[in-house]
Structures are given as structure tokens and as C-alpha cells.
Amino acid sequence: MKTESDAFREFLVKKGMRVTPEREEILAEVFAEHEHFDVEELILRLRQKGKRASRASVYRTLALLVESGLVQEVFYEDGHMHYEHIYGHEHHCHLRCLKCRKIVEFRNGAVEEAEKRIGGEHNFEVTGHRLEILGFCPDCREKKK
Amino acid sequence: MKTESDAFREFLVKKGMRVTPEREEILAEVFAEHEHFDVEELILRLRQKGKRASRASVYRTLALLVESGLVQEVFYEDGHMHYEHIYGHEHHCHLRCLKCRKIVEFRNGAVEEAEKRIGGEHNFEVTGHRLEILGFCPDCREKKK
DNA sequence: GTGTCTGCAAACAGTTTGCACTTCT
DNA sequence: AGAAGTGCAAACTGTTTGCAGACAC
């Protein structure tokens, strides 16, 4: 079975780029936890494990991971982008509370289907999608009254 | 019939805020064209019409428009946010080409339905959603070969 | 060996903010 | 009159970039 590490190596080699310890460590950390993350959190986690990858390398590597399809930009909030790894994981969408910012993940077959149909209608080659449903969570709903 | 201008006034009054010429001009310009826009474009359009609203006021007013639900943040790209007005318009989603960045709008009943169902399942009060389908448009698909 | 990558720090761009002045109510 | 809004420019923050030294191939 092909791991994300294999997939990334393959991607790099195909582009004539090098496999470096920094790139591998960043990749490993991105896949170490199954949560949304932002650049700051990622750097913090790397530091805590004694990895020295610089901020610049993290940004540069993240761009490669997105380009390779291993990672997706999920949403932009609080002035910066949030990411999640997607390789080897079933796709899911997000339900977001506009007040407390809680995020609930959910899966939805209807969207996958719509994705294919709509792609076909416009002759697009579809690679993925991003769906967010916005509203107020049970707690915040209650508090609004 | 209630116009977006009425709706915005109502929102402002309810918050104890003032109705100013700057806010009205910015609102009018936001609804003057039915296209996605970013802050720079909006300011340019205002300038071309001789309106003097400052950059700061545009940012401040845009935040109010988003809060009031008249405008939605659509996606973050090229280092800044893109918006669209939604009041009085049927909701639509976006099909985006990852290469040439072309955007096709489409409507989709299945998503509206899923939105309600999923909101219900998690006891969320749903106010809207945002769906982007990503891929390659017919032209870019061709060129990749 | 050579061309790519890294880390650093400086540069950048979009956005926010403090403040003096203006304006709405 | 008094509170709220505006414009300006400076500050801020996330991200990108130029460059010299390090390193994968």
C-alpha cells in the first residue's frame, strides 16, 4: 500500500525536485494528527518534536503538498489559511458555527454525486470539492435568545 | 418590496449605528454589478464614479455587510478575500478551474436539501453554505495533454 | 560538482487601527 | 451637544522572496 510519503516522493521526483529531510519531516507532521491545522500550529508541533524546519520551508513545502493533492486548503479564517491532509482519507465537509467557530465534520454522498454530474455538464475534470455549511450550533442558538 | 438598501438601514438601526452617505454608496456599488469582486475592484469602481469613500471605510462597511448577511465571503485567493452580494439573489455555487482560475456558477438543489438535513441532524440553525467544486476547465484539460 | 534547497531577514500585501476631525441624530 | 463615523497614515500579520551557505543527487 502506498503511503503519503511514497506519494510525495513520487510527486517530487516527477517534478525533478529533491527529497530533503525538511520536506519529509513537514510531511510527517502534517499527517501525524487528524485535525485541521494552520501554519503556526504546524510549526509549533515541529518545534516541540525538536524538528528545525524554518517557517519559510514550512510555507514552501505546504504549497507543494497542496499542489500534489495530499493536502487541501480548507478555509480562510482569522487572517490565515487552515489546512487538512486528505490523502488516504475519505472526503468530508464542514458544518461551522459562525459564533463560537465550532466545526463539525460530516460526510455527504449527495455532494459527491452532484460534483460528478455538474463537472460533466460543464466538461470539467473534477479533482475535488469544498463544502461548508454555515450557521449556529446548538449552544450558540440557545444563547441568542 | 424590500430593497437591499432598506435591509441594510434596518440592520444598522437595529444595532444603533448610523446611516451615512459612505455606507450607502458602498452598498450601492456592491449591488451595482452582479460579479464576484474584491476590495481593490470595489474601491476602483467607487473612484471611477467619483465617490470618495476611503479604503478604511470600505473595509469597515464590508464587514457590516457580511455580518448583516447581505454579502458573503466567497473564497480567498491570490492573497485576498473575494465577495459577492447575495441579498435578493438565488444562491449559487462555484465551479473553479485550478489552472486558469475561470469560475462557472451553478445552482444545485441537492445541496440546499443536504444543507437542511445535515443542519437538522446536528441541531444547527443553518444560515447558508458555500460549495466549490475544483478541477480543470475544458480548455485547460485540453492543454494538459 | 552542480543545481536545488534551506534559513534568515527583509520585503510585501492585505487588512486593521489610533487619532484628530467631521457628521449624523 | 454628544456619540459615532471618516480619512489618513502608521501599524500589524501572514506570506513571499533574495541571497549566501548547505546539501541531495
Side-chain angles (χ1 to χ4, degrees), chain B residues 56-91:
Chain B
S57 287
V58 170
Y59 275 104
R60 288 188 275 230
T61 301
L62 217 31
L64 292 172
L65 290 172
V66 169
E67 191 187 335
S68 71
L70 293 169
V71 168
Q72 192 178 33
E73 296 183 334
V74 196
F75 51 82
Y76 182 86
E77 193 169 89
D78 295 324
H80 56 267
M81 189 55 76
H82 297 248
Y83 302 84
E84 72 184 14
H85 59 241
I86 52 178
Y87 184 81
H89 292 268
E90 212 181 309
H91 178 78

Side-chain angles (χ1 to χ4, degrees), chain A residues 13-31:
Chain A
V13 170
K14 196 173 296 173
K15 288 199 75 173
M17 300 181 84
R18 292 175 183 173
V19 176
T20 67
E22 287 82 359
R23 287 177 178 159
E24 296 202 297
E25 285 169 4
I26 292 166
L27 170 76
E29 195 51 50
V30 163
F31 279 84

Side-chain angles (χ1 to χ4, degrees), chain B residues 47-123:
Chain B
R47 291 284 140 76
Q48 286 171 344
K49 297 191 180 169
K51 306 296 164 65
R52 57 283 153 72
S54 70
R55 181 175 306 275
S57 287
V58 170
Y59 275 104
R60 288 188 275 230
T61 301
L62 217 31
L64 292 172
L65 290 172
V66 169
E67 191 187 335
S68 71
L70 293 169
V71 168
Q72 192 178 33
E73 296 183 334
V74 196
F75 51 82
Y76 182 86
E77 193 169 89
D78 295 324
H80 56 267
M81 189 55 76
H82 297 248
Y83 302 84
E84 72 184 14
H85 59 241
I86 52 178
Y87 184 81
H89 292 268
E90 212 181 309
H91 178 78
H92 60 262
C93 305
H94 302 98
L95 185 54
R96 294 172 57 196
C97 178
L98 293 168
K99 189 129 186 275
C100 71
R101 314 198 149 181
K102 183 185 303 169
I103 294 177
V104 177
E105 298 185 356
F106 66 90
R107 298 181 198 287
N108 184 284
V111 182
E112 325 268 312
E113 204 180 298
E115 168 186 323
K116 288 203 190 71
R117 186 171 54 73
I118 290 156
E121 278 170 17
H122 295 87
N123 200 24

Side-chain angles (χ1 to χ4, degrees), chain A residues 22-23 27-28 41 43 52 58 61 71-72 81 83-84 95 99 108 123 136 143-144:
Chain A
E22 287 82 359
R23 287 177 178 159
L27 170 76
E41 285 164 19
I43 289 175
R52 55 283 151 73
V58 170
T61 302
V71 167
Q72 193 179 31
M81 189 54 77
Y83 302 84
E84 71 185 17
L95 185 55
K99 189 131 185 273
N108 185 286
N123 200 24
F136 299 97
K143 283 181 208 135
K144 280 204 306 178

Side-chain angles (χ1 to χ4, degrees), chain B residues 24-35:
Chain B
E24 295 202 298
E25 285 169 4
I26 291 166
L27 171 77
E29 195 51 48
V30 163
F31 280 85
E33 288 186 32
H34 184 57
E35 284 300 325

